[in-house]
Amino acid sequence: VTQSTITQCGIIIKKDDGFYVLHVDKSVTMIPLHSFIKQGARSEYTIMRATDKEVKIDYNKYMLAEYDFLLSLDNDRYYNSELVYIIYKNDLGIELCQPRAIKDYKIEGMESMLSERRIKLNQLVVSPADLFNSKKLRTIQTHKDRIKMKREKK
């Protein structure tokens, strides 16, 4: 909806057998980190975090929740950036950004879809770009760091 180049986001979960990403596809699901990265344009990514300490969340309570076609922040369905926003806010007590009205984004060409879904232009949402630009997050690694590390190994 926001027409940003930043379109996907999720929460990295460390498990015994590796790293996974909790994200929203048709529902909330978890896939291996490398698979999530491959889904992105040109496999570009940025890993960000708010704290250096290891945190635990009860991600199971989000699993299989349905995709939120209404883009509502107050139901038990989620769209990608909403899931990240809600987990940080409710589980970690960190509000990464302020939700903004849909009309504040570049929505040209999206008006009919919003109207069909009965989504009002003053409805508050959170976009992946809002999270990416959060002053409360810092970058840990990007695809550029990984390329640099591979070159240095040669």
Side-chain angles (χ1 to χ4, degrees):
V1 170
T2 63
Q3 298 183 13
S4 170
T5 57
I6 302 166
T7 59
Q8 296 298 314
C9 58
I11 299 282
I12 296 177
I13 306 290
K14 182 179 178 183
K15 296 177 86 173
D16 291 340
D17 62 342
F19 290 96
Y20 292 81
V21 177
L22 183 71
H23 74 112
V24 182
D25 190 5
K26 294 177 181 136
S27 64
V28 177
T29 188
M30 193 178 315
I31 63 172
L33 176 60
H34 65 86
S35 298
F36 184 81
I37 290 171
K38 285 181 184 177
Q39 291 177 357
R42 300 179 305 279
S43 296
E44 293 180 0
Y45 68 91
T46 301
I47 297 174
M48 305 174 86
R49 67 184 324 165
T51 178
D52 285 332
K53 67 179 181 175
E54 190 171 307
V55 295
K56 300 221 185 264
I57 60 165
D58 179 13
Y59 61 83
N60 287 312
K61 67 183 176 185
Y62 299 101
M63 291 298 292
L64 303 178
E66 294 179 23
Y67 182 84
D68 188 0
F69 288 100
L70 300 177
L71 307 177
S72 173
L73 289 173
D74 23 335
N75 60 20
D76 58 354
R77 297 174 182 208
Y78 303 95
Y79 55 92
N80 60 2
S81 47
E82 177 190 13
L83 177 68
V84 173
Y85 173 80
I86 292 294
I87 288 174
Y88 267 87
K89 183 178 178 192
N90 294 349
D91 294 326
L92 303 175
I94 301 170
E95 189 166 22
L96 294 176
C97 60
Q98 288 295 313
R100 301 183 336 182
I102 288 177
K103 65 183 177 191
D104 294 341
Y105 297 95
K106 295 178 184 173
I107 58 168
E108 293 82 26
M110 304 300 292
E111 295 90 350
S112 63
M113 181 273 296
L114 294 169
S115 177
E116 287 171 15
R117 294 185 188 179
R118 296 187 177 110
I119 297 172
K120 295 181 173 32
L121 295 180
N122 61 351
Q123 181 172 311
L124 298 178
V125 295
V126 173
S127 77
D130 293 333
L131 299 175
F132 184 83
N133 293 321
S134 173
K135 302 275 189 242
K136 296 181 181 175
L137 293 174
R138 62 185 178 81
T139 299
I140 300 301
Q141 184 183 45
T142 72
H143 61 282
K144 293 175 186 173
D145 297 328
R146 193 162 176 94
I147 292 167
K148 183 179 173 185
M149 287 187 299
K150 284 182 181 178
R151 287 185 184 146
E152 289 173 356
K153 286 182 180 179
K154 289 183 179 180

